[in-house]
Structure formats: C-alpha cells, structure tokens
Amino acid sequence: MEKETEAKSLRNKEKSKQKFLDAVEKILHTKGFSGLKVNDIARTAGLDKKLIYNYFGGKDGLIDEYIRSQDFWSNVKDESGETLINDGGKKFSKTMLLSQFDYIFKNKNIQKILLWGLIENRKSLKKLANDREENGTRLFESITDPHFKENAKRYRAIIALLISGIYYLDIYATTNDCTFCGLDLKSADGRSEIENAISFLIDKTYS
C-alpha cells in the first residue's frame, strides 16, 4: 500500500512538472519571454506557484529545464555502438545534422531560444550553451576524434559551420518569404537540396 502511494505521488509530481513546462511553452507562444513570470506560469498551469520552487528550485530552474528539453544537441546521447565507431562517425554525423535541420525548422520554440541566446545575457542560456558543449565534446572525443586524429579540430570546425548554417537557414526560412541563394527553404525541393549538400559535405570531409 505504501509503495502504491509513493508511486502515485511520483506520477502526480511528474504530471505537475509537465504542466509547468507546458505552461512555459504556451506563454512563450502568446507573450514571449517577457511573459515568463511565476504568477503567470502558475496560473496557466492551474497549479500553486509554490510547486515551482518545490520541483524546480524557482522560475530559473523551470526555464532551465524547459530550454534543456527543447535543445537538440543537449538531448543527443552517445549510443554509437561498434558500427558507428568503425566508420568514424560518418553515419552518425549525417543522421544528427539532417535530424537537426528538420527539428529546428519544425520547432518554433527552439528558434526563439536560439535567438534569445544571441541577444540576452542570461544564466540559463549560458548553462544551456555549456551543457551543449560538454555533450558535444563527449561525442567528439568518443566517436570522431579517434578517427580524424591530428585533423580532429578541422572536423570540429567543419561541423561548427554546418550547425550554425542550419540554425540560420531554418530561422530564416520561418521568418522570411523570400528565397536564400535561389532556394525556397520552405519547399520540399529546396530543403532536399540543403539535405543533399549536408550529406555531400560530410562525405567529402570523411574522404
């Protein structure tokens, strides 16, 4: 009976936490980051604001968790296995970059978070960047660095250009009606050309 009560309490806590995270997302859609105030978040979630402090340590902790849940690279894990290690991470690199290209285009909130990180000096955004870098470093060190050896930094530089290009093109595509270099980044054809280019550049990098 005691275990059932504990399990129910845990489920209720997780549901409440998700309601707060959903509230943050809803407010971002309607009011932007300036609307993320404790009282408004609690009202939107339909829960007592004290729970924000109990579950997340405060508003910043809640926003940190929301941002982390949305960020693509912070949620990529090293589940490479022997197959990916044997090809030096080539397949892994393609899969992650193409997935990121699709994910950011479809996720308006992560676009807002990326822009927010460029214009505001905020601890949660710095923490996100640091977490992203730490996760990326682990992936580089375990998968691609052993393959590229003395050229590992050059590979990282190429990936940096590709990732930043993906960020820009996806945000550009959702905020402008014009083309970029003659490509309609909102169309299946235009996006397919970018995807083919990403695969081409990774192939050339590994060859």
Side-chain angles (χ1 to χ4, degrees):
M1 185 65 179
E2 185 177 342
K3 289 184 178 180
E4 289 181 3
T5 302
E6 289 179 359
K8 184 178 180 180
S9 177
L10 181 60
R11 286 195 299 271
N12 289 337
K13 177 180 178 180
E14 292 305 312
K15 286 181 180 178
S16 295
K17 288 179 70 175
Q18 189 57 52
K19 284 183 178 180
F20 282 123
L21 293 169
D22 291 342
V24 169
E25 182 165 306
K26 185 175 182 179
I27 291 172
L28 282 177
H29 273 301
T30 57
K31 299 180 180 179
F33 292 105
S34 61
L36 291 174
K37 298 178 174 59
V38 171
N39 289 335
D40 291 341
I41 294 171
R43 189 182 305 112
T44 302
L47 297 168
D48 191 326
K49 67 180 181 181
K50 291 180 181 177
L51 294 176
I52 293 176
Y53 298 92
N54 291 343
Y55 295 159
F56 305 98
K59 184 185 74 171
D60 286 345
L62 168 58
I63 294 175
D64 282 351
E65 184 157 336
Y66 174 76
I67 290 174
R68 191 163 48 248
S69 73
Q70 296 294 304
D71 184 60
F72 181 84
W73 288 103
S74 294
N75 291 290
V76 173
K77 306 299 181 185
D78 177 12
E79 298 173 350
S80 54
E82 191 64 29
T83 301
L84 292 179
I85 291 176
N86 284 342
D87 79 348
K90 180 179 178 180
K91 182 179 178 181
F92 176 82
S93 298
K94 282 188 182 181
T95 300
M96 290 302 100
L97 289 171
L98 293 173
S99 296
Q100 182 198 28
F101 184 54
D102 183 60
Y103 176 79
I104 293 175
F105 180 68
K106 294 177 179 177
N107 192 323
K108 301 298 187 294
N109 287 327
I110 192 61
Q111 292 178 25
K112 291 178 181 179
I113 289 169
L114 289 169
L115 290 172
W116 194 23
L118 293 175
I119 62 177
E120 185 169 331
N121 183 14
R122 184 180 177 84
K123 287 182 179 179
S124 58
L125 295 169
K126 283 185 176 180
K127 187 175 187 302
L128 171 66
N130 290 335
D131 289 347
R132 185 190 295 136
E133 280 297 300
E134 289 177 6
N135 195 33
T137 296
R138 286 194 294 271
L139 293 170
F140 285 131
E141 290 178 347
S142 62
I143 300 175
T144 58
D145 284 1
H147 176 79
F148 286 99
K149 298 178 181 178
E150 67 274 9
N151 291 317
K153 286 186 177 180
R154 182 172 298 174
Y155 169 81
R156 294 190 185 201
I158 291 169
I159 294 299
L161 289 171
L162 289 173
I163 291 174
S164 58
I166 286 170
Y167 286 163
Y168 183 82
L169 290 177
D170 274 336
I171 293 173
Y172 184 92
T174 56
T175 55
N176 293 275
D177 292 326
C178 53
T179 60
F180 194 93
C181 291
L183 298 173
D184 180 358
L185 299 177
K186 292 182 179 179
S187 71
D189 182 64
R191 296 190 66 76
S192 178
E193 289 297 337
I194 298 295
E195 290 168 354
N196 290 337
I198 290 171
S199 294
F200 172 81
L201 290 170
I202 291 297
D203 285 338
K204 288 298 182 182
T205 298
Y206 274 83
S207 63

